[in-house]
Amino acid sequence: MRFEELRQKTPVHELVVEESDWAQLTRAEALRLTTLFLAARRFEEKILQLDKLNLVHGPAHSSIGQEGAAAGCIAALPPDTLMNGTHRAHHQCIAKAINALYGEDLDPSAAGLTLGMRQEIQGMMHEILGLKDGWTGGRGGSMHLRRAELGIMGTNAIVAGGIPIACGHAYAEKQRGSGKTMVTFFGDGAVHQGATHEAMNLAALYGLPMIFFLENNKYAVSMSVEQSTYETELLTRPQGHGIAGVKVDGMNPFATWLATRWAHEHIARTGRPAFILAEVYRYYHQSSSIPGSAFGYRTREEENAWKARDPWLFLQQELKARGILRENELAAVDATVTDAVEAAAASCIEGTGSSARIKASLWPAAASVDENLNSDMSEFEGVRYAEAEDYAPEDMEPLSYIEAMSRTMGARMADDDSIHVFGEDVANMGGGTVGATRGLTEKFAGRLVNTPITENGFCGLATGAALSGLKPVVELMYSDFFLVAGDQLLNQAGKIRHLFNGTAAVPLVLRARIPGPEGYGSQHSMDPAGVFALFPGWRILAPSNAFDYVGLMNSALRCKDPVLVIEPQQLHKRKTLVPKDLDYYIPIGRAKRVREGDQITLLTTLTMVEECCRMVDETGIRADVIDLRTLSQRDIDYDTIGRSVMKTGRVAIVEQTTRGASLGALIADEIQRRYFDYLDQPVKRVTGRWAPPVVSQALERAALAGEADIRSLIQEMQADSALSAARTESVHAARA
């Protein structure tokens, strides 16, 4: 027996600067690099000063010590480059803002910073302080910075949370053929996150034009790299995904500049992503102006050794020694940057020293707190809303639910080339695992994208693509899989519009299949509506038949918010008459009464609509059966519900799902708050049991609500109605 070494086909290298390399750095490029670095350094110093005065609400993660790497990277890239980052991103964002406005003929040592640059420094400072004139109205603060006009696509407080989103931005730019590169910045802690590996795999698989930029500052909060991983050579991570990488001394901004030029050229030459690992050091603790040594996780000697390699000392020494820039030019750049930063601080602070405070007029109005949770729906102006009753029989044809799924998507993809469908197997097997994309692969080559089994990764990619203007449709093979992608769907996509104060939209459609009583067990059978309803950024649509599916999916694809469309497998083969042209919409937020009566109101959805109608017909009770159709809390049609409740005085909510996953409790609470005076009895609910459905057919049937539960409910409500009527009659008789 013998073992042969397997050699990786993807190279990784360490960049070593040679004397001849300095010839590439012109005076103009040196000025740009120095300006970006000093903007980051002076800005960070001012934020720490304000933090000491308790004027920064929340954390302010300083990057002092490691700004040279970001400055070198951004200075080497075109001004229209896109970027995102993580919670420690002041230095990256201020450097990117300056670079985006840095004209070819600008000489900051002679002319100073432009007015636009000074305004952006002020806007970013106001944002970090939580003020209304900040980049996103103060909602993002220090950790969530966005200025899309300058290519800053949004930083992220979740470690590694922005990396899959960066893939989506890069995917969109590749589809457009824009030639733009995406840079995603992150730290060593993110290397161990699954989202990072999913993102690298997707970027390599799809050949995305992006740079993964790792700032290895040696520590998470206090845990060192050595405490976090057995393999401390972090370049092995991109190598394992087939991404060429380079390690560089990040305390040398020029070395990082060279590494980034290599990465940019590599992407242009090969069509493949690149990875840069910059070895850097943060001088202070996680989010303070206190050195890490004060907490005992590193030594004062270690900190002093790294401070001796400060990037600003390096730039002053090397640029002067080589005659690239003179002392007075460096001082002039420092002075103009410092003046801009001081002016930014002065614009929002009054008083000095311990009496300094934020100017009261700059706080956002408390009444604006709920603004920009969702789109204002102006994208629906002029569309044709319709119901089945609006069509003549000759204009309709019978269509199954599953046929409606593929035909609607095909019709809209033909109209809108921004629609891209992502999911496991969506382009295989002639229509995916259930036929939802049947007939689309050949018509829309390249726009049906098979994904690996990496839900967090491809849902993040879809989020980024939506942010960049595409209309991604994500197919989850089973609804429970949204839990794997919980961060990207709920914490990212659902919050982004509000977090960035309406400056960003995520027009993403998520299709989630519920198997129902098909024997898939408790990890494949969850109704996701109750969880998604907790996040007001999401719209939730629940079509119960093929006609509604077409109209609601058309609305989902037009909406500029993330929309969850729930697709019960039980309905796949059921046929409904559907208009032949498929060009109609059902409004988000409009329920439909499918049976009319005056004794009870049944509010229901999805598979239980037909069950309720059948039980009503069987029992002969006069009931309003209302198909809710929209389940997002702020969109539920309480006007239609209220009219029915005022008529019947008795209402029940009927859901197939288990008790714990039920949305009914929230609806019942709202009904009782709005219409208490019209209710003759408490709102009743039908759901499954507490236990999730398991594979055993007997236990599965017991776990989910069915016709027996609805029949019992109707009988109970009939009995209550009869008892109430008898009591009323008795009271009248006694009074007579």
Side-chain angles (χ1 to χ4, degrees):
M1 180 176 65
R2 66 188 178 89
F3 294 92
E4 293 186 358
E5 183 179 356
L6 292 176
R7 296 188 179 275
Q8 293 286 339
K9 63 181 180 181
T10 303
V12 292
H13 304 284
E14 182 167 4
L15 185 148
V16 179
V17 178
E18 298 178 335
E19 186 60 36
S20 59
D21 294 327
W22 284 95
Q24 300 178 50
L25 189 68
T26 64
R27 176 181 180 278
E29 292 295 348
L31 277 171
R32 180 190 297 262
L33 174 56
T34 301
T35 303
L36 268 54
F37 171 80
L38 283 171
R41 172 61 62 88
R42 301 303 178 229
F43 188 90
E44 288 281 60
E45 289 171 343
K46 179 54 66 174
I47 292 296
L48 282 185
Q49 290 175 19
L50 298 175
D51 189 45
K52 287 180 180 179
L53 296 172
N54 294 316
L55 298 177
V56 180
H57 186 62
H61 299 90
S62 167
S63 63
I64 292 179
Q66 62 187 68
E67 323 95 305
C73 172
I74 293 168
L77 292 168
D80 64 357
T81 299
L82 307 180
M83 65 145 283
N84 73 358
T86 185
H87 57 282
R88 192 182 310 280
H90 300 165
H91 57 314
Q92 300 150 5
C93 292
I94 203 70
K96 181 67 180 75
I98 297 297
N99 198 52
L101 300 173
Y102 202 107
E104 290 294 327
D105 299 327
L106 180 66
D107 182 346
S109 68
L113 299 185
T114 67
L115 176 61
M117 291 174 176
R118 294 174 68 92
Q119 289 172 335
E120 296 303 335
I121 292 172
Q122 178 172 306
M124 182 171 157
M125 186 167 290
H126 281 232
E127 181 61 34
I128 291 171
L129 296 179
L131 308 181
K132 64 183 180 182
D133 294 329
W135 280 351
T136 54
R139 292 187 179 180
S142 171
M143 296 188 290
H144 319 91
L145 296 165
R146 175 178 168 85
R147 188 67 161 164
E149 302 90 327
L150 304 179
I152 302 167
M153 307 310 292
T155 64
N156 207 292
I158 302 300
V159 173
I163 305 178
I165 295 173
C167 290
H169 290 297
Y171 179 90
E173 297 306 325
K174 181 176 181 178
Q175 295 303 310
R176 294 191 186 101
S178 70
K180 292 182 182 178
T181 299
M182 178 74 198
V183 183
T184 184
F185 290 96
F186 53 99
D188 49 277
V191 170
H192 316 305
Q193 284 275 359
T196 304
H197 291 272
E198 292 186 26
M200 286 194 287
N201 182 55
L202 292 171
L205 181 64
Y206 301 145
L208 301 182
M210 63 184 296
I211 297 172
F212 293 84
F213 197 100
L214 166 58
E215 293 180 329
N216 180 12
N217 65 15
K218 313 301 181 185
Y219 295 91
V221 176
S222 64
M223 284 183 62
S224 66
V225 172
E226 290 75 17
Q227 290 176 305
S228 301
T229 181
Y230 177 78
E231 176 52 78
T232 58
E233 179 46 77
L234 302 184
L235 271 188
T236 57
R237 279 49 165 193
Q239 186 180 36
H241 292 287
I243 299 176
V246 62
K247 181 190 294 186
V248 65
D249 177 7
M251 307 302 278
N252 177 343
F254 174 61
T256 310
W257 185 84
L258 289 172
T260 306
R261 284 165 61 94
W262 162 82
H264 194 242
E265 291 166 1
H266 169 83
I267 293 168
R269 184 179 71 257
T270 67
R272 310 279 305 156
F275 191 101
I276 298 173
L277 190 163
E279 301 277 5
V280 296
Y281 199 80
R282 58 171 166 85
Y283 291 161
Y284 298 106
H285 183 54
Q286 171 76 347
S287 177
S288 75
S289 56
I290 302 171
S293 56
F295 297 89
Y297 62 86
R298 61 192 194 191
T299 66
R300 183 69 61 84
E301 290 74 23
E302 177 184 309
E303 290 172 344
N304 289 338
W306 281 94
K307 286 182 178 180
R309 299 176 54 205
D310 187 288
W312 181 220
L313 296 176
F314 175 88
L315 284 174
Q316 292 179 91
Q317 176 181 326
E318 299 298 328
L319 295 178
K320 288 190 295 183
R322 288 172 172 77
I324 300 173
L325 292 177
R326 298 187 300 273
E327 176 73 38
N328 65 318
E329 291 173 315
L330 292 166
V333 173
D334 197 356
T336 189
V337 166
T338 301
D339 180 70
V341 170
E342 292 294 337
S347 72
C348 49
I349 305 298
E350 57 187 9
T352 59
S354 60
S355 65
R357 61 187 181 276
I358 303 291
K359 294 177 181 176
S361 61
L362 298 180
W363 293 113
S368 69
V369 65
D370 278 345
E371 292 177 1
N372 292 312
L373 280 167
N374 292 104
S375 163
D376 62 5
M377 307 298 272
S378 59
E379 61 266 33
F380 287 92
E381 291 178 3
V383 305
R384 178 167 64 105
Y385 293 120
E387 298 290 351
E389 297 76 19
D390 299 327
Y391 291 90
E394 60 270 21
D395 296 328
M396 310 272 273
E397 63 176 331
L399 207 64
S400 70
Y401 199 95
I402 192 69
E403 289 171 328
M405 290 162 65
S406 59
R407 288 201 197 176
T408 307
M409 192 59 60
R412 300 291 76 81
M413 291 182 78
D415 295 338
D416 184 354
D417 60 9
S418 73
I419 298 175
H420 291 244
V421 179
F422 298 89
E424 296 150 13
D425 303 297
V426 294
N428 289 352
M429 300 188 293
T433 56
V434 295
T437 53
R438 183 171 290 121
L440 304 183
T441 306
E442 299 76 15
K443 292 181 183 177
F444 306 107
R447 290 168 57 197
L448 267 73
V449 184
N450 284 329
T451 64
I453 304 174
T454 53
E455 283 83 5
N456 200 45
F458 67 72
C459 287
L461 186 151
T463 297
L467 280 166
S468 275
L470 296 187
K471 171 64 77 169
V473 178
V474 174
E475 176 184 298
L476 287 184
M477 192 177 291
Y478 294 98
S479 57
D480 304 65
F481 298 173
F482 85 85
L483 294 168
V484 181
D487 177 57
Q488 292 300 327
L489 294 174
L490 304 175
N491 209 20
Q492 307 289 345
K495 294 180 178 179
I496 279 174
R497 177 188 285 272
H498 182 259
L499 176 61
F500 294 129
N501 201 21
T503 66
V506 186
L508 163 69
V509 175
L510 178 70
R511 295 178 33 239
R513 174 160 58 115
I514 305 176
E518 300 281 343
Y520 279 87
S522 63
Q523 294 179 338
H524 282 65
S525 302
M526 180 182 182
D527 183 338
V531 175
F532 278 81
L534 301 176
F535 295 83
W538 277 89
R539 312 277 188 175
I540 307 171
L541 303 182
S544 64
N545 57 71
F547 181 93
D548 284 3
Y549 187 92
V550 175
L552 290 172
M553 178 54 79
N554 284 339
S555 292
L557 289 168
R558 193 176 190 91
C559 187
K560 291 185 178 179
D561 290 321
V563 181
L564 169 66
V565 180
I566 303 173
E567 301 172 350
Q569 191 165 317
Q570 275 181 277
L571 300 178
H572 280 189
K573 295 180 181 179
R574 294 185 188 175
K575 292 202 171 186
T576 310
L577 289 176
V578 174
K580 297 173 184 178
D581 64 8
L582 304 181
D583 291 329
Y584 62 93
Y585 295 81
I586 292 174
I588 294 173
R590 182 181 296 172
K592 183 175 185 181
R593 185 173 59 194
V594 295
R595 287 287 189 280
E596 186 171 0
D598 59 5
Q599 289 181 301
I600 64 172
T601 298
L602 298 180
L603 306 178
T604 187
T605 185
L606 297 169
T607 57
M608 302 306 273
V609 174
E610 187 171 312
E611 297 286 350
C612 283
C613 290
R614 185 164 59 250
M615 288 299 102
V616 165
D617 295 342
E618 180 183 303
T619 60
I621 194 170
R622 300 190 306 274
D624 266 359
V625 178
I626 296 176
D627 183 351
L628 293 174
R629 301 199 294 197
T630 302
L631 301 179
S632 30
Q633 285 193 67
R634 296 173 72 236
D635 299 318
I636 290 172
D637 187 357
Y638 286 107
D639 291 338
T640 296
I641 293 170
R643 286 192 293 270
S644 182
V645 171
M646 291 176 192
K647 177 175 59 173
T648 67
R650 296 171 177 82
V651 60
I653 303 161
V654 181
E655 302 171 274
Q656 183 184 50
T657 189
T658 56
R659 193 77 171 177
S662 165
L663 184 60
L666 297 171
I667 299 173
D669 175 74
E670 192 68 25
I671 290 171
Q672 291 175 158
R673 290 175 187 275
R674 293 179 183 229
Y675 305 112
F676 181 81
D677 290 342
Y678 298 94
L679 290 170
D680 295 331
Q681 59 184 224
V683 177
K684 296 183 182 295
R685 293 170 58 202
V686 168
T687 68
R689 307 307 182 264
W690 287 107
V694 292
V695 173
S696 167
Q697 189 175 66
L699 294 176
E700 180 182 64
R701 287 176 177 173
L704 299 173
E707 65 176 53
D709 301 285
I710 303 172
R711 185 182 293 108
S712 296
L713 168 77
I714 291 174
Q715 291 170 349
E716 179 186 349
M717 295 183 79
Q718 281 179 312
D720 288 344
S721 178
L723 180 60
S724 177
R727 286 173 177 168
T728 301
E729 185 176 340
S730 175
V731 169
H732 289 325
R735 288 175 177 172

